[in-house]
Amino acid sequence: MSEAPPILDPPQPPPIGPDPHNHEEKPTPSWAKKLGPLGTFLLVVAAKAKTVFAFLLPALKFLKLGKVLLTSSTMLLSIVVYSALFGWKFAVGFVVCIFVHEMGHVLAAKYYGIPVSAPVFIPLFGALILQKRSAKSAWIEAVIGIGGPLAGTVSALACWAIFQTTGNVLFLGLAYTAFFLNLFNMTPIFPLDGGWIVGAISPYLWAVGLVLMLAMLFTGHMTNPMIIVLILMSLPRVWAALKRGTADPEGGEQTTPTQKWTMGFAYVGLCAFLLWGMAITHDIGTQELRPRGTQVAALR
């Protein structure tokens, strides 16, 4: 007599969810139990915050917090100094305009893959960035140089637009100041932006800039000792370029005639636009600050 085959249990489907043999559920903290629903809510918030922080941490490392802190701390110092001279509202707007100017340099340098330092603000001087590697040609140096005044012009126009919208003369003053400072920066002498720009056109224009700077110095229009020191430090480079007849680095790329003409038109055009912006905001400011009775009389 044969034996009946054993009855086999059907295979069980795999469990849905985490395997209890491999993952132990974390017990709820005692403080959360005491708080009841509020404790559960706080646990969920903490878990979400941990997830967000885990996502942001690589981004913060990418931004290099050291650079951010350097720029923000020197910006704050400049705001404090300028506030004592012009009031905090103007100081904040003024420093923001300088920051926009410097970011124009940073973006242009980034376009050509040239690493630069974070913008560093120096009270009563402005701000600066330093290239960590020299550019391959005077053309690239000029593009990086003109990037600042172009961005600064945008900030001036933005302040002017805000004035036109709100009627707040603070922004008119900021617009005039931004136009003026960017125009001053176009002076064709190191370390100003104009020195880098005209290098692509002709290094002999640096001699013109030196004459202009000396004229401002002897007439009392230039009193910032920091700029004077930087000009003196740049003289060896200027002299070497004048002897070679080019600002292009030895062994580097040569600036083409088309690039020279392009930068020349850009330089003259931007200078003319900044001069126009400075003149018209000055005229509008004169009208705005004129006593109301005089304004009415003039209109009649």
Side-chain angles (χ1 to χ4, degrees):
M1 186 176 180
S2 60
E3 297 180 357
I7 299 175
L8 302 177
D9 294 332
Q12 299 295 322
I16 300 176
D19 186 355
H21 298 290
N22 296 329
H23 301 277
E24 296 181 357
E25 185 178 356
K26 295 182 179 180
T28 304
S30 58
W31 62 266
K33 292 179 180 179
K34 294 179 180 179
L35 292 176
L38 178 59
T40 304
F41 173 75
L42 292 176
L43 282 176
V44 173
V45 172
K48 295 291 185 182
K50 184 177 180 181
T51 303
V52 172
F53 181 76
F55 173 77
L56 288 179
L57 186 59
L60 292 175
K61 290 181 178 179
F62 176 78
L63 291 174
K64 297 181 180 179
L65 283 178
K67 289 186 176 182
V68 175
L69 291 174
L70 176 63
T71 300
S72 58
S73 60
T74 53
M75 284 181 70
L76 181 60
L77 177 61
S78 294
I79 290 174
V80 170
V81 173
Y82 293 131
S83 294
L85 299 173
F86 311 113
W88 71 269
K89 293 181 180 179
F90 186 89
V92 171
F94 182 52
V95 171
V96 169
C97 288
I98 296 176
F99 176 76
V100 173
H101 175 109
E102 294 303 319
M103 289 308 297
H105 292 309
V106 172
L107 292 176
K110 184 177 181 180
Y111 176 81
Y112 285 103
I114 298 177
V116 295
S117 67
V120 178
F121 287 74
I122 304 173
L124 305 180
F125 172 73
L128 56 83
I129 61 169
L130 300 175
Q131 294 184 17
K132 299 180 180 179
R133 175 167 55 83
S134 299
K136 295 180 180 179
S137 68
W139 164 257
I140 297 177
E141 297 278 16
V143 173
I144 296 174
I146 204 170
L150 282 174
T153 302
V154 172
S155 71
L157 290 173
C159 291
W160 191 4
I162 294 174
F163 162 73
Q164 295 288 351
T165 303
T166 64
N168 191 335
V169 293
L170 169 68
F171 292 98
L172 181 64
L174 286 170
Y176 171 81
T177 304
F179 280 129
F180 169 75
L181 287 179
N182 283 281
L183 180 62
F184 173 78
N185 251 300
M186 297 292 282
T187 306
I189 189 67
F190 287 112
L192 301 178
D193 297 332
W196 299 99
I197 297 169
V198 302
I201 306 170
S202 172
Y204 296 106
L205 291 173
W206 289 337
V208 177
L210 185 59
V211 171
L212 289 174
M213 196 61 65
L214 290 174
M216 286 189 287
L217 178 64
F218 287 113
T219 56
H221 291 85
M222 168 56 63
T223 58
N224 194 321
M226 186 68 177
I227 294 181
I228 298 172
V229 170
L230 291 174
I231 291 174
L232 293 176
M233 292 175 61
S234 69
L235 288 180
R237 174 174 181 164
V238 173
W239 177 247
L242 290 175
K243 286 198 303 182
R244 291 189 296 110
T246 178
D248 290 308
E250 295 185 21
E253 299 176 1
Q254 299 299 306
T255 303
T256 66
T258 301
Q259 290 173 334
K260 292 178 183 289
W261 280 103
T262 301
M263 192 55 64
F265 281 118
Y267 177 77
V268 173
L270 184 56
C271 284
F273 185 82
L274 289 169
L275 184 61
W276 171 81
M278 189 177 70
I280 196 168
T281 49
H282 177 270
D283 290 343
I284 296 174
T286 302
Q287 294 290 331
E288 289 291 328
L289 297 177
R290 183 179 299 173
R292 181 175 297 273
T294 308
Q295 269 190 334
V296 174
L299 290 173
R300 290 176 181 174

